[in-house]
Amino acid sequence: MNSYAQIYRDATLDKAGFWLDAATAIDWVKAPKTGLDDCNPPFYRWFPDGEMNSCFNAVDRHVLAGRGGQNAIIYDSPITGHKSTLTYAELQQQTSKFAGMLADLGVEKGDRVIIYMPMIPQAVVAMLGCARLGAIHSVVFGGFAAAELAKRIDDCTPKVMISASCGHEPGRIVEYKPLLDGAIETANHKPDHCVIVQREALEANLVAGRDLEWNAALDAATELPPAPVKATDPLYILYTSGTTGQPKGVVRDNGGHAVALHWSMRHIYDMRPGDVYWAASDIGWVVGHSYIVYAPLLFGCTSILFEGKPVGTPDAGVFWRVISEHKVKALFTAPTAFRAIKRADPDGAFLKDYDTSCLKYLFLAGERADPDTINWAENQLGVPVIDHWWQTETGWSICANPMGIEHLAVKLGSPSLPMPGYEIDILDADGAVLPAGELGAIAVKLPLPPSCLATIWGADDAYVEKYLTSFPGYYETGDAGYCDEDGYLYIMARTDDVINVAGHRLSTGQLEEVLADHPDIAECAVIGVADQLKGQLPLGLICLYPNCNRLQDDIMAEAITLVKDRVGRVSSFNLITVIERLPKTRSGKVLRGTMAKIADGENWNMPATIDDPTILDEIKTALQSVGYAGGKR
Ligand code: COA
Ligand code: AMP
């Protein structure tokens, strides 16, 4: 195989030709003759004349190739004590039934289906079954509250919703059905039907005429073959946090997605068909979409579906148990999972009980991989630890160390070099390209390679405004950083009000919108503060109305509950403090960045435009009261 440098050069010189060549790895109903449609910039489309089906490529073609007996999915659920497998042949049968059931319920190509489910095999069947029919799925993470689900229902107007009676979190059962019912009640749009998986731990009440039980509905359905769709037709919508409370529905196409993900399995992750691949994430996040479901199956691997936590289910040895028991070759997770394991078992005592020699690589993404965690993981596991950088918007990595091409020199703190098709520049505020070593906005030249977002669902204007306007000719990543002399990229911060909590993107603006709804809160700001386990945590600073005479502790507790009820527990919102006033510039802009630096004990400069510098002393004292800014955590 050519070197990374050669492959990257080829892809840069002839982007369309490079990916058209990669597209031959996919089975097409109608093979594309054109790589890129660039007639309507800044909207670009990959493989405009191609037709295919993502489910066929992820399932049927492996059965046709004689590998129907191979495990497609190994479900391992330490939290419930269940394990099971689905072969490719079984997956083919179940997705065919599922697609038939959707059709019976009136779902047609292009209709939306929301999947709000825990990490169970039926969730994978549902995603692929939608793809089989050409319906567009939108998976909503189970940790989101009813109000968040309602926003997504109104945005993508699903005909059918798929859910389960409950999820399992350590020490508690999460009842999904009341959340689902609550969301449907709040939303303006009403789905025609809900299909519910009844789990052993809890039986949900079904609404007559609207709700169907999963097994009965599938049993009654006839199997459907994969429907040909255009490569440019949407496969799914996945919502991600922006700067406001309104989530953005990232639209992913079918053809470009399949081609890029298939390419990544061989070239970035160094996998072969039949290998066992484990992305320890959740299907509700992009990592779960791409690397629990689509990429491993498109490539003919066995994918692990893990319903548990890195610690506490039952202990910090569970990752090693899963690796050794299922012969995992590559593990992909967020650094926070390894920080949790390291904290619970710093000397790696649990590792001694397991033979993990099958593991060849650990891949990390979702947040900054701190050198301590990388070194610890490398010492414990004795395999390369590969940091790579990507986003919900791209669906696969922008920068990585491509293990299937060559093992590039590792530079701690950097996710290495751009993957084919991504041309990165570091820009100043005016859009001028900055030299090596200088910090700026990270931007990717248009057109983006296959799999990257086609648009925002129902909002082409918002897509252009949010991503393509600040720097004409570029996609704005929202991350800031720099490149070194060798072109290695370093991701340093977000340029917007998005924070990263345990590898999940959270909008501080969204949390502020919820806090501002509390009747006693006059003003508020939410900042991201450093946390040893989760990377960052949200911290709320609230100002109460002058005439408010209620106990501050009561108001703070109510505010925390409000955020958890409206956004969901996944917000990890537990830090809050009352202040007299917010520090602002003379033009009224809240100084969130300065407060975050004070909280984290970083160097900061007094902003020249600050309204009243004495406020920052009050802020420091308030932050100390919750353990930050030199307070005791
Ligand atoms: N349904 C309902 N609630 C959920 C949920 C789900 N699917 N997933 C998480 N939650 C809840 C948790 O129970 C927790 O509630 P609590 O704060 O009331 O206890 C809250 O949301 C926060 O969850 P989480 O961020 O997962 O924190 P945790 O303390 O339970 O676990 C880690 C910490 C580090 C173990 C966990 O964050 C982890 O495994 N991270 C891996 C990272 C990852 O998967 N990243 C995805 C991108 S690669
Ligand atoms: P999400 O869309 O939720 O996957 O979050 C994407 C964001 O997570 C990126 O824009 C970065 O801010 C951050 N991120 C992801 N991977 C990395 C990484 N390897 N290093 C640093 N930050 C990362």
Side-chain angles (χ1 to χ4, degrees):
M1 187 180 293
N2 287 333
S3 65
Y4 158 78
Q6 182 67 46
I7 291 174
Y8 183 73
R9 206 164 32 238
D10 289 350
T12 309
L13 289 176
D14 178 12
K15 212 178 263 194
F18 178 88
W19 288 110
L20 205 49
D21 193 34
T24 55
I26 291 300
D27 280 4
W28 297 88
V29 175
K30 190 170 158 227
K33 294 203 166 50
T34 307
L36 183 69
D37 170 5
D38 54 5
C39 297
N40 183 29
F43 294 88
Y44 297 91
R45 294 285 181 263
W46 282 96
F47 315 118
D49 52 345
E51 281 182 29
M52 45 84 76
N53 183 281
S54 294
C55 179
F56 176 84
N57 274 280
V59 183
D60 302 57
R61 71 166 171 162
H62 306 306
V63 179
L64 290 172
R67 299 227 311 283
Q70 181 197 314
N71 282 335
I73 300 288
I74 297 176
Y75 167 59
D76 190 314
S77 171
I79 204 153
T80 61
H82 282 89
K83 286 180 205 168
S84 62
T85 55
L86 269 180
T87 64
Y88 274 103
E90 288 165 339
L91 194 56
Q92 183 185 35
Q93 202 240 347
Q94 293 203 17
T95 52
S96 307
K97 283 263 183 189
F98 183 90
M101 176 200 72
L102 283 186
D104 290 344
L105 295 178
V107 176
E108 295 173 3
K109 200 186 277 189
D111 285 341
R112 276 78 56 210
V113 174
I114 281 190
I115 300 172
Y116 181 60
M117 286 178 108
M119 288 281 287
I120 53 177
Q122 290 90 336
V124 178
V125 170
M127 290 168 77
L128 292 166
C130 287
R132 192 172 192 86
L133 187 67
I136 304 168
H137 63 70
S138 186
V139 181
V140 178
F141 176 62
F144 281 123
E148 285 298 309
L149 181 57
K151 285 182 195 168
R152 288 152 175 82
I153 295 174
D154 277 336
D155 196 71
C156 75
T157 58
K159 238 184 202 166
V160 168
M161 294 183 69
I162 316 293
S163 191
S165 56
C166 68
H168 291 260
E169 282 293 295
R172 72 192 165 96
I173 283 178
V174 183
E175 289 192 46
Y176 275 52
K177 194 60 188 355
L179 298 171
L180 180 79
D181 291 343
I184 295 173
E185 203 177 307
T186 319
N188 294 319
H189 172 81
K190 312 288 175 199
D192 297 342
H193 294 286
C194 298
V195 181
I196 310 293
V197 176
Q198 296 284 19
R199 299 192 76 184
E200 216 173 278
L202 185 90
E203 183 147 341
N205 292 326
L206 302 186
V207 176
R210 186 196 75 183
D211 297 349
L212 293 90
E213 190 272 322
W214 172 282
N215 287 328
L218 254 71
D219 282 349
T222 42
E223 296 183 12
L224 271 197
V229 298
K230 288 196 186 123
T232 51
D233 281 342
L235 168 66
Y236 69 75
I237 304 165
L238 178 58
Y239 288 88
T240 186
S241 298
T243 42
T244 67
Q246 185 56 33
K248 299 174 299 191
V250 165
V251 177
R252 188 95 56 221
D253 68 8
N254 273 278
H257 173 252
V259 171
L261 291 198
H262 190 282
W263 187 92
S264 74
M265 286 304 280
R266 173 78 179 82
H267 297 90
I268 298 178
Y269 301 100
D270 192 23
M271 299 299 282
R272 300 289 179 280
D275 286 344
V276 182
Y277 186 90
W278 179 21
S281 177
D282 189 287
I283 48 143
W285 308 120
V286 67
V287 174
H289 279 62
S290 294
Y291 291 104
I292 296 174
V293 183
Y294 285 106
L297 300 183
L298 285 164
F299 201 66
C301 288
T302 297
S303 180
I304 306 279
L305 184 72
F306 174 74
E307 190 183 26
K309 301 264 176 182
V311 293
T313 58
D315 54 41
V318 68
F319 270 32
W320 323 142
R321 198 264 300 154
V322 172
I323 290 168
S324 68
E325 192 174 323
H326 305 304
K327 304 280 172 287
V328 173
K329 180 172 166 189
L331 167 63
F332 176 177
T333 193
T336 189
F338 266 74
R339 287 197 296 270
I341 298 172
K342 177 172 153 227
R343 191 162 81 167
D345 182 21
D347 301 326
F350 283 107
L351 199 52
K352 298 182 182 64
D353 297 338
Y354 302 98
D355 174 7
T356 58
S357 57
C358 51
L359 189 75
K360 298 291 174 252
Y361 306 105
L362 168 64
F363 291 90
L364 298 177
E367 55 172 328
R368 186 175 164 268
D370 51 291
D372 264 7
T373 304
I374 293 186
N375 287 333
W376 184 84
E378 217 153 42
N379 287 337
Q380 296 296 331
L381 292 167
V383 300
V385 178
I386 309 299
D387 180 16
H388 57 336
W389 168 62
W390 52 301
Q391 313 183 304
T392 304
E393 287 84 346
T394 64
W396 68 295
S397 43
I398 311 170
C399 279
N401 198 329
M403 290 295 106
I405 301 176
E406 64 178 287
H407 193 158
L408 303 168
V410 171
K411 298 197 188 193
L412 280 185
S414 167
S416 301
L417 295 169
M419 290 298 93
Y422 290 107
E423 293 173 73
I424 294 176
D425 278 322
I426 308 295
L427 306 178
D428 71 11
D430 299 324
V433 176
L434 290 168
E438 284 197 32
L439 185 74
I442 307 174
V444 186
K445 266 192 199 145
L446 296 175
L448 296 170
S451 162
C452 295
L453 79 172
T455 188
I456 297 291
W457 178 255
D460 284 349
D461 292 353
Y463 166 61
V464 174
E465 194 220 303
K466 162 76 191 140
Y467 297 105
L468 310 176
T469 300
S470 305
F471 307 116
Y474 287 94
Y475 162 80
E476 184 183 5
T477 64
D479 284 320
Y482 65 91
C483 284
D484 71 7
E485 295 290 349
D486 300 323
Y488 278 61
L489 186 72
Y490 292 77
I491 315 290
M492 304 307 288
R494 290 285 304 186
T495 54
D496 51 18
D497 291 327
V498 168
I499 60 172
N500 195 310
V501 179
H504 316 316
R505 236 152 93 172
L506 211 62
S507 153
T508 54
Q510 174 188 18
L511 304 186
E512 287 173 7
E513 281 176 27
V514 175
L515 288 175
D517 265 359
H518 189 288
D520 295 318
I521 297 179
E523 259 196 313
C524 64
V526 174
I527 58 173
V529 293
D531 180 68
Q532 283 198 339
L533 176 64
K534 298 195 179 185
Q536 280 188 300
L537 284 176
L539 186 154
L541 299 116
I542 55 172
C543 307
L544 307 181
Y545 283 107
N547 59 355
C548 171
N549 51 16
R550 297 185 55 221
L551 277 179
Q552 290 190 354
D553 281 352
D554 288 349
I555 297 171
M556 289 193 286
E558 287 163 14
I560 287 174
T561 307
L562 194 64
V563 170
K564 291 199 171 170
D565 285 351
R566 293 256 192 102
V567 180
R569 294 215 202 188
V570 70
S571 60
S572 296
F573 186 71
N574 295 303
L575 295 168
I576 190 163
T577 182
V578 175
I579 52 173
E580 285 297 317
R581 51 213 173 121
L582 283 171
K584 291 182 185 168
T585 62
R586 279 189 282 277
S587 61
K589 196 169 171 295
V590 176
L591 292 163
R592 292 181 184 79
T594 308
M595 290 194 284
K597 285 201 167 108
I598 295 174
D600 290 345
E602 285 178 21
N603 292 334
W604 57 278
N605 296 322
M606 180 64 72
T609 53
I610 191 166
D611 188 21
D612 172 3
T614 62
I615 303 182
L616 292 177
D617 290 332
E618 295 168 25
I619 296 294
K620 187 169 179 187
T621 309
L623 290 168
Q624 284 170 339
S625 73
V626 277
Y628 282 82
K632 284 219 162 43
R633 240 166 280 171

